Amino acid sequence: MRCWLIIFLLLTMLVNNSGCQSFSDVKKSFGKLPGLNRRGPKQELSDELLDPLGARNTNRLLWEDLSPSQIGTTLRTRGGKKIDESAAAAYYETGISKYAEAVAVMESEPTGKRHADLFIEAANQFRLAASRYPDSQLEEDSLYFEGESFFFADHYVQSNRAFEKLVANYSGTRFLDLAEQRRLAIALYWDELSEQSKGLKLGDPKRPKAGLAGESRRVLHRIRIDDPTGKLADDATLALGKAFLKDKRYYEAADTFEDLRRNYPGSKHQFTAHMLELEARLQGYQGKSYDDTPLRKADELVKTIARQFPDESQKNMEYLEQQHSLIQNQIVERDYSMGKFYEGRGENRSANYIYSNLAKKYDNTDFSATVRQQIAEIEKLPPEPKQHAKWLVDMFPKTEEDRPLIAAGDNESMLLRR
């Protein structure tokens, strides 16, 4: 007993704060059990090391791995793993049998809980099978069914871990679409749950213990990175952008929506991505004293929306006109304040240039008349501020870079420099 307690404490020290929580509306009918297929090549993970949303850790230990129903399997899979093809095949066949039994119970008792225990038993068998025969077709199939078993047992973090390992080790797996569909459902659920639940949750084994919103964003990001041409890549990108927008991370949201509209031109989310990027750009603009890139991009977006989506634009005409008016006012405010800045420094030539552009752009308006009056006033002033202590400036020699290569009226100066 004391030995088991010591082992338990050692394993606990390695646990990563993750978990999962059950939900009912993502469980759809799933058809027949898939057969076998050749394994794909392993995927290098070096590209993930600097990923701002976090890299995969497919071997991380979870609190649920130490539960009474799984700790024995955890110790056996993390101990000395000897390759044994026949043992792996036996574990796999037992797992398939338990999986089929769990499916039958779930269909006959949809409101019951007995199927969850059976799915855990099946997952344990698939974990053992994968550990006994790595780098094989059997491991590929076992990882997929491990993810499925944990999914229907409401252990979503363990399910996502299995699917992530499957995709990492077998990027060309035929289970890719099915695995990404599960991961998308899990990530969307976590994102929705993050609005209702904040902070650390140590006592709930059915959900991540902390960082629920961040883990949701990480999974969404990995889906579109792991399978950029897949059926769900644009769905994951849209959901990721919405998650950033909800978290008031406007620059990341805008860039994500821009990624969607540029890299998935045939996506059904194109109009939504344009509209949400417009919102994110305007929310990300910090005022006239800051970078105007969000404003410029928002201005271009309004024109693009009107040009590419005439029917949708007509339905949202009032909103688009309001946003366009807001953008123009903010652009004018920023440019005018820049002119005032140069005017205050005595750099009247620069101020005159900005005011002239504004007057030309908004000709025949009251604002243009006001700007032209200011132009008339500063034209009477010196174009550049007076150089104080000119004698001191003249004491310093002119740098070589400032001298012209060919002096005016001297065609031989280039030859003399040789």
Side-chain angles (χ1 to χ4, degrees):
M1 181 66 180
R2 182 176 300 174
C3 179
W4 275 100
L5 179 60
I6 294 174
I7 293 174
F8 179 83
L9 292 175
L10 289 174
L11 288 171
T12 302
M13 294 173 64
L14 302 174
V15 173
N16 184 287
N17 287 335
S18 299
C20 42
Q21 180 159 344
S22 63
F23 62 101
S24 59
D25 51 350
V26 298
K27 295 179 177 176
K28 309 297 183 183
S29 56
F30 45 87
K32 297 181 180 179
L33 301 181
L36 301 178
N37 190 33
R38 293 187 177 183
R39 65 185 177 90
K42 283 198 172 184
Q43 177 178 334
E44 296 293 335
L45 302 181
S46 58
D47 62 319
E48 298 182 33
L49 297 179
L50 299 179
D51 194 322
L53 295 185
R56 288 176 294 208
N57 184 0
T58 56
N59 292 316
R60 68 189 186 278
L61 193 65
L62 305 173
W63 285 104
E64 287 69 38
D65 294 329
L66 306 179
S67 65
S69 63
Q70 297 187 54
I71 187 170
T73 302
T74 300
L75 292 173
R76 294 167 69 184
T77 56
R78 289 182 173 265
K81 296 184 289 186
K82 181 180 179 181
I83 296 178
D84 189 338
E85 182 178 355
S86 60
Y91 286 132
Y92 180 80
E93 291 301 324
T94 303
I96 288 293
S97 177
K98 287 289 184 182
Y99 183 88
E101 182 183 355
V103 170
V105 171
M106 184 173 63
E107 291 178 344
S108 62
E109 305 172 15
T111 59
K113 298 181 179 180
R114 191 161 63 95
H115 67 274
D117 294 333
L118 293 172
F119 276 122
I120 292 297
E121 292 179 25
N124 286 335
Q125 296 299 311
F126 292 128
R127 291 174 68 191
L128 289 168
S131 69
R132 291 298 180 267
Y133 196 20
D135 300 325
S136 68
Q137 176 181 320
L138 185 62
E139 183 194 32
E140 177 187 351
D141 298 325
S142 297
L143 287 173
Y144 169 72
F145 281 110
E146 177 190 341
E148 284 285 276
S149 299
F150 278 131
F151 181 84
F152 287 109
D154 298 337
H155 283 233
Y156 301 126
V157 172
Q158 288 180 293
S159 174
N160 180 67
R161 179 184 62 182
F163 287 135
E164 281 197 341
K165 189 170 184 178
L166 170 68
V167 175
N169 291 357
Y170 305 92
S171 58
T173 177
R174 65 188 177 83
F175 300 121
L176 185 60
D177 288 344
L178 296 171
E180 300 296 50
Q181 182 179 357
R182 298 301 191 210
R183 295 173 68 201
L184 179 61
I186 291 170
L188 291 176
Y189 173 71
W190 285 343
D191 180 62
E192 181 180 352
L193 188 64
S194 67
E195 299 180 16
Q196 311 161 10
S197 177
K198 304 291 183 183
L200 197 65
K201 295 289 184 181
L202 293 176
D204 189 350
K206 299 179 181 179
R207 49 153 289 168
K209 303 300 183 293
L212 187 58
E215 182 67 2
S216 171
R217 291 193 296 266
R218 186 192 70 80
V219 175
L220 291 170
H221 175 63
R222 289 312 316 177
I223 290 172
R224 70 196 193 113
I225 296 299
D226 292 338
D227 190 19
T229 60
K231 299 177 181 178
L232 301 176
D234 61 331
D235 297 291
T237 304
L238 180 68
L240 178 61
K242 287 182 177 179
F244 279 133
L245 190 61
K246 181 174 61 178
D247 201 35
K248 297 182 180 181
R249 296 170 61 171
Y250 300 121
Y251 282 94
E252 291 97 327
D255 289 344
T256 304
F257 293 131
E258 182 179 9
D259 178 61
L260 193 159
R261 65 183 182 85
R262 291 186 181 277
N263 295 323
Y264 303 96
S267 171
K268 59 183 179 296
H269 304 305
Q270 273 291 318
F271 178 71
T272 302
H274 278 75
M275 294 292 282
L276 290 177
E277 183 185 346
L278 175 61
E279 178 184 349
R281 296 290 180 198
L282 290 176
Q283 292 283 5
Y285 178 59
Q286 296 177 288
K288 61 185 180 182
S289 300
Y290 295 87
D291 181 31
D292 67 338
T293 300
L295 274 185
R296 305 295 177 182
K297 288 192 173 185
D299 187 38
E300 185 61 34
L301 268 172
V302 172
K303 300 173 185 175
T304 302
I305 292 171
R307 182 172 60 250
Q308 292 188 3
F309 307 97
D311 295 337
E312 292 86 346
S313 298
Q314 196 64 36
K315 297 176 183 177
N316 296 271
M317 185 58 67
E318 182 179 356
Y319 171 79
L320 291 173
E321 287 180 347
Q322 289 176 350
Q323 298 303 93
H324 184 258
S325 177
L326 173 64
I327 293 168
Q328 293 304 312
N329 288 336
Q330 289 180 322
I331 290 176
V332 170
E333 178 188 32
R334 188 182 189 282
D335 289 348
Y336 184 73
S337 67
M338 187 64 67
K340 295 295 290 184
F341 170 77
Y342 284 120
E343 185 181 351
R345 287 169 54 95
E347 298 179 18
N348 297 306
R349 180 185 291 119
S350 298
N352 192 2
Y353 176 78
I354 294 174
Y355 290 149
S356 297
N357 285 337
L358 285 172
K360 186 183 302 182
K361 186 174 182 179
Y362 300 98
D363 197 14
N364 299 323
T365 65
D366 293 339
F367 175 72
S368 177
T370 302
V371 173
R372 291 186 186 283
Q373 184 178 355
Q374 284 189 266
I375 292 174
E377 293 177 359
I378 64 175
E379 283 180 343
K380 303 173 184 178
L381 303 175
E384 297 293 339
K386 182 179 179 181
Q387 178 68 61
H388 298 286
K390 187 175 182 300
W391 60 271
L392 181 61
V393 176
D394 292 340
M395 288 178 60
F396 293 93
K398 193 172 185 181
T399 61
E400 188 70 24
E401 290 78 4
D402 292 337
R403 295 175 183 172
L405 291 176
I406 300 178
D410 183 7
N411 296 330
E412 298 181 357
S413 59
M414 180 64 75
L415 296 176
L416 295 176
R417 287 176 177 269
R418 293 182 179 178

